[in-house]
Amino acid sequence: MRKVAAIVIASAFFAILLISFYQIPQSGYSGSEYYYSNPITGSHANESVPSHYISGTKNETGAVNAVTAIVVEYRGFDTLGEVTVLFTAATGVAFLLHKGKGGKKRAEANLILREGSKLVLPFILLAGAYIFIHGHLTPGGGFPGGAVIASGFLLMMLSYPKFFMKEKPVSITESFAGITFAVIGLLGLLFASSFLENFLPLGNAGYLLSAGIIPVIYIAIGFKVGSELSSIADKFKEVQK
Amino acid sequence: MVMHPVLMIAIPLLSAFIMPLIKKAHRYFAFSILLLNTALSILLFAKVYNEGALYETIAGFSPPVGIYLAVDNLSALLAFLINIFATINFLTSRQDFRFSMLYLLGVAGATGIVLTGDIFNMFVFFEITAVASYALVASKKDRKATEGAIKYMILGSVGSVFMLVGIAIIYSQLKSLNLYDIAARISSMDPKMMWLSFSFLLTGIGVEAELFPLNGWVPDAYEGAESNISSFLSFGPSKASIYAIARLLIIFSMSRTYELALYLGIVTLLVGELAAFTQKNTKRMLAYSSIGQMGLILIAFSLMDKTSYAIPAAFFIIVSHASAKSALFLLSDKDGFGDMSSKYAGLAGVLSLIGMPPLAGFWGKWYLLMGVADEKIWAVAAIIIFSAVIEAIYFARYLYKNMEGKESSRNSIPAAVMVSISIVMGILPILYNMAGGVLNA
Amino acid sequence: MIEFTIISWIMALLVIGAAIYAIETKDLLSSAIAAGVASLVVSIMFLILQAPDVAITEASIGAGLTMAIFVYAIGKTGRWEK
């Protein structure tokens, strides 16, 4: 009975979503119906927000990757928030699971897995670092880069049952990366006019050293996400019985 | 004077990041940050009250492109309330540094919800405060706390997904995330899509705001959590999210959405109060009573478009509920009010909740009834009075049970301070004018 | 363009199938793996839709880390749903 009710509700919900999906107007970015209004001055612009993102990215932020420009510059405050969500989750996991170490012995992984993972670990870490350092030039950025790094450590945890993340360096990395992000935001308040505003020279778009604060923030995010995700995985491994 | 409301969000976040480095002094550090935040919120309110609504752009881009914070009288007052109660409540914590971190993050998130002027930014702060609350509820680490936290977490994450879909629908239609911009152009949206996004957003926020069909987690989480965490939940996330619903109603501002909110509020009120009436367990009784009060606040907000009494009414109910209910939750770790300060806190808190003049709860109900009478919707007035009578009965029972008790709570002095704040705010009807000021957008 | 449509349909059916299997099966370990498969297919869909940033994140978090955490949690509790 419950199952039938669940199926009925789920399919009704699915139908509603499908119908509304077909109702979404398919028009593109341009067109004057998407003008926006500025709440502070009360003026109207004849451009939609997405088209502003596409046309303004290079001049306003110096980044080539528009997604990065949106994530770190236009909506950088949201990114600070999202990093904090992950930080909160990692802290919560550590808070709830920090008791009970050890656990049952697991068999050693076989030779090929052990040596192979030792061999690929540096390359995984390198790929992660590449992804977050080049966030303003190529697809990717702090979150994916950090996740790739964490998956490298995860590989080590899987192939070596005795592999542990040392708690202290991980939590110090995490803290310093977070502090860097927040302090850059506050420096923006100090040197420029608002929180998280760019205060470094933009440089030539397309070069590694360009786009002002974006690479700095993305490196901080990369370290932070990497250390947080690997510490979450490590905490779950630690309490295994 | 230059005032940056963003500091009230950025400084707690920064100090939560610093916390693992200074494990020893974490309690003093967190307390001083909360005090600083309270001071900033007072300055912010003074500025907003004198100069009108305050906008702060972030990252230097003009609003619809970038994010901005929009502070009006009501949100400045709510930020003040959340931060001052958080400061007082923090005095009762006895946990390690991770607790202080999570607590700071939760407070920063709740402050962010009331200050931000961007709907996606609001979602992010919802996430922060919700994730912090899940961990805080589970911090007692026994069976009941874990059960409450898991229920809260499942409902809360489903709610976040709903909210995200609602935001995505709005963005797909209007290409904007700015609350003001959305409000200005909402009428150009297809009404079907408007209803779809409204119902998604209401469902998502409704989980945190403890509205009727979505509040299954409330009694378990409040009962299972440590008493200071129940207190935190009742002044932090729930108050911030009911304010988010108020902003949502203003954005959509159709008479039908207000009507829907009114019915939802009435159902929530009745269900909460009747369930509280039948409860034997003190904390569950208080939790159900919270649901009822949230319904009352929603009723007040849903009359916003009709009468000017609505916003002051909602504000006073929020003050009375945030202070008195938090104090009662703080006292609920022991059965009975043994010493003088807990007797005082319990008595004054209950009197404020059931609406005795001249306490804040009275002004809330008084303005609400004035507003309802202006509109001549007598059925609503009858329901409000009926629920007030039920409330009076079960709170009388509660007082009778507790006044006899010999044990006294360790948290009696912070609780007394909280209730005193509500008394001070209640006897200052001057606040009527302050709260009645412009509500943004 | 027709091949993109076909691929998208296959992917969509795969995601739905994996999701339903993840819910219905009593074996939590296969449920976690099915959820990982769904994430992986979704990440390929992101790639086809020209969102490489999201695709990288989804592949490493959805298909990698989340699944590993699920597996650790299952190792701590029990493999079979009661």
Side-chain angles (χ1 to χ4, degrees), chain B residues 74 77-78 80-81 85 234-235 239 293 297 311-327 349 352-353 359-361 363-364 418-427 431 435:
Chain B
L74 189 57
L77 273 175
L78 279 178
F80 166 68
L81 277 183
F85 289 138
S234 68
F235 67 76
K239 294 299 168 292
Q293 298 268 331
I297 300 170
I311 293 172
F315 173 70
F316 277 111
I317 303 173
I318 288 176
V319 169
S320 126
H321 184 231
S323 60
K325 195 56 74 62
S326 310
S352 171
L353 281 176
L359 300 167
W363 294 111
M418 276 188 184
V419 171
S420 309
I421 289 171
S422 131
I423 292 176
V424 170
M425 294 189 113
I427 56 177
L431 281 170

mmCIF file of all heavy atoms in Angstrom, chain B residues 74 77-78 80-81 85 234-235 239 293 297 311-327 349 352-353 359-361 363-364 418-427 431 435:
data_model
loop_
_atom_site.group_PDB
_atom_site.id
_atom_site.type_symbol
_atom_site.label_atom_id
_atom_site.label_comp_id
_atom_site.label_asym_id
_atom_site.label_seq_id
_atom_site.Cartn_x
_atom_site.Cartn_y
_atom_site.Cartn_z
ATOM 1 N N LEU B 74 13.487 45.794 9.825
ATOM 2 C CA LEU B 74 13.123 44.510 10.400
ATOM 3 C C LEU B 74 14.301 43.543 10.368
ATOM 4 O O LEU B 74 14.566 42.840 11.340
ATOM 5 C CB LEU B 74 11.922 43.928 9.645
ATOM 6 C CG LEU B 74 11.310 42.688 10.267
ATOM 7 C CD1 LEU B 74 10.879 42.966 11.687
ATOM 8 C CD2 LEU B 74 10.134 42.205 9.466
ATOM 9 N N LEU B 77 16.812 44.447 12.994
ATOM 10 C CA LEU B 77 16.351 44.051 14.331
ATOM 11 C C LEU B 77 16.490 42.544 14.529
ATOM 12 O O LEU B 77 16.902 42.087 15.597
ATOM 13 C CB LEU B 77 14.883 44.436 14.496
ATOM 14 C CG LEU B 77 14.638 45.857 14.989
ATOM 15 C CD1 LEU B 77 13.158 46.152 14.983
ATOM 16 C CD2 LEU B 77 15.176 46.013 16.394
ATOM 17 N N LEU B 78 16.149 41.785 13.476
ATOM 18 C CA LEU B 78 16.250 40.329 13.613
ATOM 19 C C LEU B 78 17.695 39.903 13.761
ATOM 20 O O LEU B 78 18.005 39.008 14.553
ATOM 21 C CB LEU B 78 15.629 39.640 12.404
ATOM 22 C CG LEU B 78 14.119 39.515 12.445
ATOM 23 C CD1 LEU B 78 13.619 38.861 11.192
ATOM 24 C CD2 LEU B 78 13.718 38.697 13.642
ATOM 25 N N PHE B 80 19.996 41.616 15.122
ATOM 26 C CA PHE B 80 20.340 41.942 16.509
ATOM 27 C C PHE B 80 19.825 40.865 17.455
ATOM 28 O O PHE B 80 20.561 40.371 18.316
ATOM 29 C CB PHE B 80 19.761 43.310 16.870
ATOM 30 C CG PHE B 80 19.764 43.601 18.333
ATOM 31 C CD1 PHE B 80 20.947 43.797 19.007
ATOM 32 C CD2 PHE B 80 18.578 43.651 19.040
ATOM 33 C CE1 PHE B 80 20.954 44.043 20.364
ATOM 34 C CE2 PHE B 80 18.576 43.901 20.391
ATOM 35 C CZ PHE B 80 19.763 44.092 21.048
ATOM 36 N N LEU B 81 18.553 40.483 17.257
ATOM 37 C CA LEU B 81 17.963 39.479 18.157
ATOM 38 C C LEU B 81 18.750 38.180 18.099
ATOM 39 O O LEU B 81 19.116 37.606 19.133
ATOM 40 C CB LEU B 81 16.532 39.182 17.727
ATOM 41 C CG LEU B 81 15.439 40.120 18.189
ATOM 42 C CD1 LEU B 81 14.106 39.606 17.724
ATOM 43 C CD2 LEU B 81 15.458 40.203 19.693
ATOM 44 N N PHE B 85 20.844 36.828 21.402
ATOM 45 C CA PHE B 85 20.460 35.579 22.053
ATOM 46 C C PHE B 85 21.550 34.530 21.887
ATOM 47 O O PHE B 85 21.793 33.731 22.797
ATOM 48 C CB PHE B 85 19.128 35.072 21.510
ATOM 49 C CG PHE B 85 17.969 35.907 21.949
ATOM 50 C CD1 PHE B 85 16.958 36.240 21.070
ATOM 51 C CD2 PHE B 85 17.905 36.383 23.233
ATOM 52 C CE1 PHE B 85 15.899 37.024 21.471
ATOM 53 C CE2 PHE B 85 16.853 37.169 23.652
ATOM 54 C CZ PHE B 85 15.842 37.488 22.765
ATOM 55 N N SER B 234 15.450 27.415 18.387
ATOM 56 C CA SER B 234 14.222 28.187 18.420
ATOM 57 C C SER B 234 14.469 29.681 18.252
ATOM 58 O O SER B 234 13.528 30.392 17.947
ATOM 59 C CB SER B 234 13.425 27.902 19.684
ATOM 60 O OG SER B 234 14.100 28.390 20.788
ATOM 61 N N PHE B 235 15.674 30.192 18.423
ATOM 62 C CA PHE B 235 15.843 31.604 18.063
ATOM 63 C C PHE B 235 16.634 31.806 16.771
ATOM 64 O O PHE B 235 16.572 32.871 16.181
ATOM 65 C CB PHE B 235 16.472 32.427 19.195
ATOM 66 C CG PHE B 235 17.901 32.081 19.508
ATOM 67 C CD1 PHE B 235 18.917 32.509 18.677
ATOM 68 C CD2 PHE B 235 18.240 31.366 20.629
ATOM 69 C CE1 PHE B 235 20.230 32.207 18.951
ATOM 70 C CE2 PHE B 235 19.551 31.043 20.913
ATOM 71 C CZ PHE B 235 20.535 31.470 20.057
ATOM 72 N N LYS B 239 13.730 31.399 13.170
ATOM 73 C CA LYS B 239 13.316 32.796 13.013
ATOM 74 C C LYS B 239 13.837 33.365 11.694
ATOM 75 O O LYS B 239 13.142 34.113 11.009
ATOM 76 C CB LYS B 239 13.826 33.638 14.179
ATOM 77 C CG LYS B 239 13.203 33.279 15.484
ATOM 78 C CD LYS B 239 11.715 33.492 15.437
ATOM 79 C CE LYS B 239 11.043 32.857 16.620
ATOM 80 N NZ LYS B 239 11.083 31.395 16.611
ATOM 81 N N GLN B 293 3.503 28.651 17.469
ATOM 82 C CA GLN B 293 3.901 30.064 17.397
ATOM 83 C C GLN B 293 4.398 30.430 16.004
ATOM 84 O O GLN B 293 4.162 31.538 15.521
ATOM 85 C CB GLN B 293 4.992 30.343 18.417
ATOM 86 C CG GLN B 293 4.560 30.127 19.842
ATOM 87 C CD GLN B 293 4.036 31.393 20.457
ATOM 88 O OE1 GLN B 293 4.439 32.475 20.089
ATOM 89 N NE2 GLN B 293 3.121 31.250 21.391
ATOM 90 N N ILE B 297 3.154 33.470 13.617
ATOM 91 C CA ILE B 297 3.993 34.448 12.917
ATOM 92 C C ILE B 297 3.653 34.457 11.437
ATOM 93 O O ILE B 297 3.559 35.521 10.804
ATOM 94 C CB ILE B 297 5.488 34.123 13.124
ATOM 95 C CG1 ILE B 297 5.841 34.163 14.592
ATOM 96 C CG2 ILE B 297 6.352 35.105 12.375
ATOM 97 C CD1 ILE B 297 7.215 33.631 14.893
ATOM 98 N N ILE B 311 3.290 43.666 10.286
ATOM 99 C CA ILE B 311 4.728 43.505 10.524
ATOM 100 C C ILE B 311 5.084 43.713 11.998
ATOM 101 O O ILE B 311 5.815 42.909 12.571
ATOM 102 C CB ILE B 311 5.524 44.399 9.567
ATOM 103 C CG1 ILE B 311 5.322 43.856 8.154
ATOM 104 C CG2 ILE B 311 6.990 44.407 9.908
ATOM 105 C CD1 ILE B 311 5.878 44.725 7.092
ATOM 106 N N PRO B 312 4.549 44.763 12.660
ATOM 107 C CA PRO B 312 4.831 44.854 14.100
ATOM 108 C C PRO B 312 4.332 43.638 14.867
ATOM 109 O O PRO B 312 5.028 43.154 15.771
ATOM 110 C CB PRO B 312 4.074 46.105 14.544
ATOM 111 C CG PRO B 312 3.804 46.851 13.329
ATOM 112 C CD PRO B 312 3.841 45.944 12.177
ATOM 113 N N ALA B 313 3.160 43.126 14.466
ATOM 114 C CA ALA B 313 2.643 41.938 15.159
ATOM 115 C C ALA B 313 3.623 40.798 15.031
ATOM 116 O O ALA B 313 4.015 40.176 16.024
ATOM 117 C CB ALA B 313 1.296 41.548 14.563
ATOM 118 N N ALA B 314 4.060 40.531 13.788
ATOM 119 C CA ALA B 314 4.995 39.435 13.568
ATOM 120 C C ALA B 314 6.264 39.673 14.358
ATOM 121 O O ALA B 314 6.807 38.763 14.993
ATOM 122 C CB ALA B 314 5.317 39.315 12.086
ATOM 123 N N PHE B 315 6.742 40.933 14.352
ATOM 124 C CA PHE B 315 7.994 41.226 15.048
ATOM 125 C C PHE B 315 7.872 40.936 16.541
ATOM 126 O O PHE B 315 8.747 40.311 17.134
ATOM 127 C CB PHE B 315 8.399 42.674 14.812
ATOM 128 C CG PHE B 315 9.571 43.079 15.636
ATOM 129 C CD1 PHE B 315 10.818 42.558 15.359
ATOM 130 C CD2 PHE B 315 9.428 43.927 16.715
ATOM 131 C CE1 PHE B 315 11.901 42.882 16.128
ATOM 132 C CE2 PHE B 315 10.512 44.263 17.487
ATOM 133 C CZ PHE B 315 11.745 43.740 17.194
ATOM 134 N N PHE B 316 6.759 41.371 17.143
ATOM 135 C CA PHE B 316 6.647 41.161 18.589
ATOM 136 C C PHE B 316 6.479 39.690 18.934
ATOM 137 O O PHE B 316 7.005 39.221 19.943
ATOM 138 C CB PHE B 316 5.498 41.989 19.165
ATOM 139 C CG PHE B 316 5.906 43.403 19.429
ATOM 140 C CD1 PHE B 316 5.400 44.441 18.686
ATOM 141 C CD2 PHE B 316 6.832 43.684 20.415
ATOM 142 C CE1 PHE B 316 5.794 45.737 18.919
ATOM 143 C CE2 PHE B 316 7.235 44.974 20.652
ATOM 144 C CZ PHE B 316 6.721 46.007 19.902
ATOM 145 N N ILE B 317 5.765 38.950 18.075
ATOM 146 C CA ILE B 317 5.658 37.514 18.367
ATOM 147 C C ILE B 317 7.037 36.877 18.247
ATOM 148 O O ILE B 317 7.413 36.018 19.057
ATOM 149 C CB ILE B 317 4.653 36.825 17.431
ATOM 150 C CG1 ILE B 317 3.296 37.494 17.556
ATOM 151 C CG2 ILE B 317 4.508 35.369 17.798
ATOM 152 C CD1 ILE B 317 2.297 37.010 16.561
ATOM 153 N N ILE B 318 7.820 37.328 17.243
ATOM 154 C CA ILE B 318 9.168 36.770 17.096
ATOM 155 C C ILE B 318 9.997 37.072 18.340
ATOM 156 O O ILE B 318 10.666 36.188 18.888
ATOM 157 C CB ILE B 318 9.849 37.322 15.828
ATOM 158 C CG1 ILE B 318 9.209 36.726 14.585
ATOM 159 C CG2 ILE B 318 11.329 36.999 15.833
ATOM 160 C CD1 ILE B 318 9.741 37.266 13.298
ATOM 161 N N VAL B 319 9.936 38.325 18.829
ATOM 162 C CA VAL B 319 10.724 38.675 20.020
ATOM 163 C C VAL B 319 10.310 37.816 21.196
ATOM 164 O O VAL B 319 11.149 37.201 21.873
ATOM 165 C CB VAL B 319 10.523 40.171 20.377
ATOM 166 C CG1 VAL B 319 11.116 40.463 21.735
ATOM 167 C CG2 VAL B 319 11.145 41.044 19.340
ATOM 168 N N SER B 320 8.995 37.739 21.394
ATOM 169 C CA SER B 320 8.527 37.022 22.573
ATOM 170 C C SER B 320 8.880 35.550 22.477
ATOM 171 O O SER B 320 9.369 34.946 23.429
ATOM 172 C CB SER B 320 7.024 37.225 22.708
ATOM 173 O OG SER B 320 6.358 36.009 22.799
ATOM 174 N N HIS B 321 8.678 34.996 21.270
ATOM 175 C CA HIS B 321 8.940 33.569 21.133
ATOM 176 C C HIS B 321 10.425 33.273 21.214
ATOM 177 O O HIS B 321 10.851 32.359 21.907
ATOM 178 C CB HIS B 321 8.363 33.072 19.809
ATOM 179 C CG HIS B 321 8.514 31.612 19.629
ATOM 180 N ND1 HIS B 321 9.057 31.057 18.512
ATOM 181 C CD2 HIS B 321 8.226 30.593 20.455
ATOM 182 C CE1 HIS B 321 9.083 29.756 18.659
ATOM 183 N NE2 HIS B 321 8.583 29.442 19.816
ATOM 184 N N ALA B 322 11.240 34.098 20.519
ATOM 185 C CA ALA B 322 12.675 33.833 20.510
ATOM 186 C C ALA B 322 13.233 33.878 21.916
ATOM 187 O O ALA B 322 14.037 33.029 22.298
ATOM 188 C CB ALA B 322 13.392 34.836 19.613
ATOM 189 N N SER B 323 12.806 34.866 22.704
ATOM 190 C CA SER B 323 13.414 34.975 24.029
ATOM 191 C C SER B 323 12.792 34.000 25.007
ATOM 192 O O SER B 323 13.492 33.227 25.657
ATOM 193 C CB SER B 323 13.268 36.397 24.542
ATOM 194 O OG SER B 323 11.905 36.716 24.625
ATOM 195 N N ALA B 324 11.447 33.998 25.090
ATOM 196 C CA ALA B 324 10.824 33.196 26.134
ATOM 197 C C ALA B 324 11.003 31.717 25.861
ATOM 198 O O ALA B 324 11.353 30.944 26.758
ATOM 199 C CB ALA B 324 9.346 33.547 26.224
ATOM 200 N N LYS B 325 10.786 31.302 24.609
ATOM 201 C CA LYS B 325 10.884 29.874 24.337
ATOM 202 C C LYS B 325 12.320 29.400 24.479
ATOM 203 O O LYS B 325 12.577 28.313 24.999
ATOM 204 C CB LYS B 325 10.316 29.585 22.944
ATOM 205 C CG LYS B 325 10.015 28.148 22.657
ATOM 206 C CD LYS B 325 9.067 27.518 23.649
ATOM 207 C CE LYS B 325 7.621 27.959 23.495
ATOM 208 N NZ LYS B 325 7.029 27.630 22.229
ATOM 209 N N SER B 326 13.281 30.247 24.050
ATOM 210 C CA SER B 326 14.678 29.837 24.231
ATOM 211 C C SER B 326 14.991 29.688 25.706
ATOM 212 O O SER B 326 15.686 28.751 26.109
ATOM 213 C CB SER B 326 15.616 30.869 23.618
ATOM 214 O OG SER B 326 15.230 31.166 22.330
ATOM 215 N N ALA B 327 14.470 30.611 26.521
ATOM 216 C CA ALA B 327 14.734 30.529 27.952
ATOM 217 C C ALA B 327 14.114 29.268 28.527
ATOM 218 O O ALA B 327 14.741 28.553 29.319
ATOM 219 C CB ALA B 327 14.177 31.763 28.647
ATOM 220 N N GLY B 349 8.632 34.176 31.181
ATOM 221 C CA GLY B 349 8.601 33.616 29.836
ATOM 222 C C GLY B 349 7.222 33.102 29.483
ATOM 223 O O GLY B 349 6.674 33.411 28.424
ATOM 224 N N SER B 352 4.798 35.895 28.935
ATOM 225 C CA SER B 352 4.976 36.553 27.648
ATOM 226 C C SER B 352 4.412 35.695 26.516
ATOM 227 O O SER B 352 3.766 36.206 25.607
ATOM 228 C CB SER B 352 6.458 36.826 27.421
ATOM 229 O OG SER B 352 6.676 37.268 26.120
ATOM 230 N N LEU B 353 4.630 34.380 26.618
ATOM 231 C CA LEU B 353 4.158 33.509 25.541
ATOM 232 C C LEU B 353 2.641 33.480 25.465
ATOM 233 O O LEU B 353 2.069 33.463 24.376
ATOM 234 C CB LEU B 353 4.688 32.088 25.739
ATOM 235 C CG LEU B 353 6.126 31.864 25.324
ATOM 236 C CD1 LEU B 353 6.547 30.460 25.672
ATOM 237 C CD2 LEU B 353 6.287 32.086 23.839
ATOM 238 N N LEU B 359 3.966 42.496 28.287
ATOM 239 C CA LEU B 359 5.107 41.791 27.720
ATOM 240 C C LEU B 359 4.989 41.715 26.202
ATOM 241 O O LEU B 359 3.937 41.984 25.625
ATOM 242 C CB LEU B 359 5.193 40.381 28.319
ATOM 243 C CG LEU B 359 5.353 40.393 29.835
ATOM 244 C CD1 LEU B 359 5.120 39.039 30.421
ATOM 245 C CD2 LEU B 359 6.738 40.884 30.188
ATOM 246 N N ALA B 360 6.111 41.323 25.576
ATOM 247 C CA ALA B 360 6.174 41.373 24.110
ATOM 248 C C ALA B 360 5.099 40.509 23.461
ATOM 249 O O ALA B 360 4.495 40.893 22.460
ATOM 250 C CB ALA B 360 7.553 40.920 23.644
ATOM 251 N N GLY B 361 4.839 39.337 24.061
ATOM 252 C CA GLY B 361 3.853 38.436 23.479
ATOM 253 C C GLY B 361 2.473 39.082 23.409
ATOM 254 O O GLY B 361 1.713 38.869 22.466
ATOM 255 N N TRP B 363 1.835 42.329 23.022
ATOM 256 C CA TRP B 363 1.780 43.294 21.910
ATOM 257 C C TRP B 363 1.637 42.576 20.586
ATOM 258 O O TRP B 363 0.900 43.025 19.710
ATOM 259 C CB TRP B 363 3.016 44.179 21.901
ATOM 260 C CG TRP B 363 3.086 45.055 23.100
ATOM 261 C CD1 TRP B 363 3.965 44.966 24.118
ATOM 262 C CD2 TRP B 363 2.201 46.125 23.424
ATOM 263 N NE1 TRP B 363 3.695 45.900 25.066
ATOM 264 C CE2 TRP B 363 2.615 46.639 24.668
ATOM 265 C CE3 TRP B 363 1.088 46.693 22.809
ATOM 266 C CZ2 TRP B 363 1.968 47.691 25.295
ATOM 267 C CZ3 TRP B 363 0.450 47.747 23.424
ATOM 268 C CH2 TRP B 363 0.888 48.238 24.652
ATOM 269 N N GLY B 364 2.349 41.440 20.450
ATOM 270 C CA GLY B 364 2.233 40.674 19.216
ATOM 271 C C GLY B 364 0.795 40.280 18.948
ATOM 272 O O GLY B 364 0.229 40.558 17.896
ATOM 273 N N MET B 418 17.753 36.420 29.068
ATOM 274 C CA MET B 418 16.987 36.389 27.822
ATOM 275 C C MET B 418 15.577 36.923 28.024
ATOM 276 O O MET B 418 15.086 37.743 27.244
ATOM 277 C CB MET B 418 16.882 34.953 27.322
ATOM 278 C CG MET B 418 18.051 34.490 26.523
ATOM 279 S SD MET B 418 17.644 32.898 25.855
ATOM 280 C CE MET B 418 19.167 32.504 25.061
ATOM 281 N N VAL B 419 14.926 36.442 29.068
ATOM 282 C CA VAL B 419 13.552 36.876 29.306
ATOM 283 C C VAL B 419 13.520 38.368 29.594
ATOM 284 O O VAL B 419 12.623 39.087 29.142
ATOM 285 C CB VAL B 419 12.950 36.059 30.456
ATOM 286 C CG1 VAL B 419 11.624 36.631 30.870
ATOM 287 C CG2 VAL B 419 12.773 34.636 30.024
ATOM 288 N N SER B 420 14.559 38.863 30.298
ATOM 289 C CA SER B 420 14.574 40.293 30.602
ATOM 290 C C SER B 420 14.636 41.117 29.325
ATOM 291 O O SER B 420 14.006 42.178 29.236
ATOM 292 C CB SER B 420 15.769 40.633 31.479
ATOM 293 O OG SER B 420 15.803 39.775 32.570
ATOM 294 N N ILE B 421 15.386 40.628 28.338
ATOM 295 C CA ILE B 421 15.441 41.354 27.068
ATOM 296 C C ILE B 421 14.054 41.451 26.458
ATOM 297 O O ILE B 421 13.632 42.513 25.989
ATOM 298 C CB ILE B 421 16.416 40.655 26.112
ATOM 299 C CG1 ILE B 421 17.830 40.852 26.597
ATOM 300 C CG2 ILE B 421 16.270 41.204 24.709
ATOM 301 C CD1 ILE B 421 18.827 40.026 25.853
ATOM 302 N N SER B 422 13.329 40.337 26.527
ATOM 303 C CA SER B 422 11.979 40.366 25.955
ATOM 304 C C SER B 422 11.104 41.346 26.713
ATOM 305 O O SER B 422 10.299 42.077 26.131
ATOM 306 C CB SER B 422 11.406 38.962 25.986
ATOM 307 O OG SER B 422 10.127 38.952 26.525
ATOM 308 N N ILE B 423 11.292 41.423 28.042
ATOM 309 C CA ILE B 423 10.468 42.355 28.818
ATOM 310 C C ILE B 423 10.793 43.780 28.423
ATOM 311 O O ILE B 423 9.906 44.612 28.186
ATOM 312 C CB ILE B 423 10.712 42.140 30.328
ATOM 313 C CG1 ILE B 423 10.161 40.780 30.730
ATOM 314 C CG2 ILE B 423 10.060 43.232 31.134
ATOM 315 C CD1 ILE B 423 10.429 40.420 32.149
ATOM 316 N N VAL B 424 12.101 44.066 28.291
ATOM 317 C CA VAL B 424 12.492 45.424 27.920
ATOM 318 C C VAL B 424 11.908 45.793 26.559
ATOM 319 O O VAL B 424 11.354 46.878 26.371
ATOM 320 C CB VAL B 424 14.027 45.543 27.900
ATOM 321 C CG1 VAL B 424 14.446 46.859 27.284
ATOM 322 C CG2 VAL B 424 14.574 45.424 29.295
ATOM 323 N N MET B 425 12.002 44.848 25.605
ATOM 324 C CA MET B 425 11.475 45.165 24.286
ATOM 325 C C MET B 425 9.964 45.271 24.306
ATOM 326 O O MET B 425 9.373 45.985 23.504
ATOM 327 C CB MET B 425 11.921 44.112 23.284
ATOM 328 C CG MET B 425 13.411 44.133 23.072
ATOM 329 S SD MET B 425 13.898 43.100 21.719
ATOM 330 C CE MET B 425 14.489 44.297 20.566
ATOM 331 N N GLY B 426 9.321 44.540 25.233
ATOM 332 C CA GLY B 426 7.869 44.585 25.295
ATOM 333 C C GLY B 426 7.353 45.900 25.826
ATOM 334 O O GLY B 426 6.320 46.394 25.374
ATOM 335 N N ILE B 427 8.050 46.478 26.805
ATOM 336 C CA ILE B 427 7.528 47.717 27.372
ATOM 337 C C ILE B 427 8.029 48.922 26.617
ATOM 338 O O ILE B 427 7.851 50.047 27.049
ATOM 339 C CB ILE B 427 7.876 47.854 28.871
ATOM 340 C CG1 ILE B 427 9.368 47.745 29.063
ATOM 341 C CG2 ILE B 427 7.140 46.810 29.681
ATOM 342 C CD1 ILE B 427 9.811 47.927 30.472
ATOM 343 N N LEU B 431 9.105 50.663 19.839
ATOM 344 C CA LEU B 431 9.579 49.728 18.825
ATOM 345 C C LEU B 431 8.522 49.500 17.758
ATOM 346 O O LEU B 431 8.827 49.035 16.668
ATOM 347 C CB LEU B 431 9.931 48.396 19.464
ATOM 348 C CG LEU B 431 11.276 48.355 20.157
ATOM 349 C CD1 LEU B 431 11.409 47.086 20.937
ATOM 350 C CD2 LEU B 431 12.378 48.450 19.134
ATOM 351 N N ALA B 435 9.733 48.794 14.042
ATOM 352 C CA ALA B 435 9.501 47.574 13.284
ATOM 353 C C ALA B 435 8.594 47.829 12.104
ATOM 354 O O ALA B 435 8.616 47.112 11.126
ATOM 355 C CB ALA B 435 8.885 46.518 14.190
#
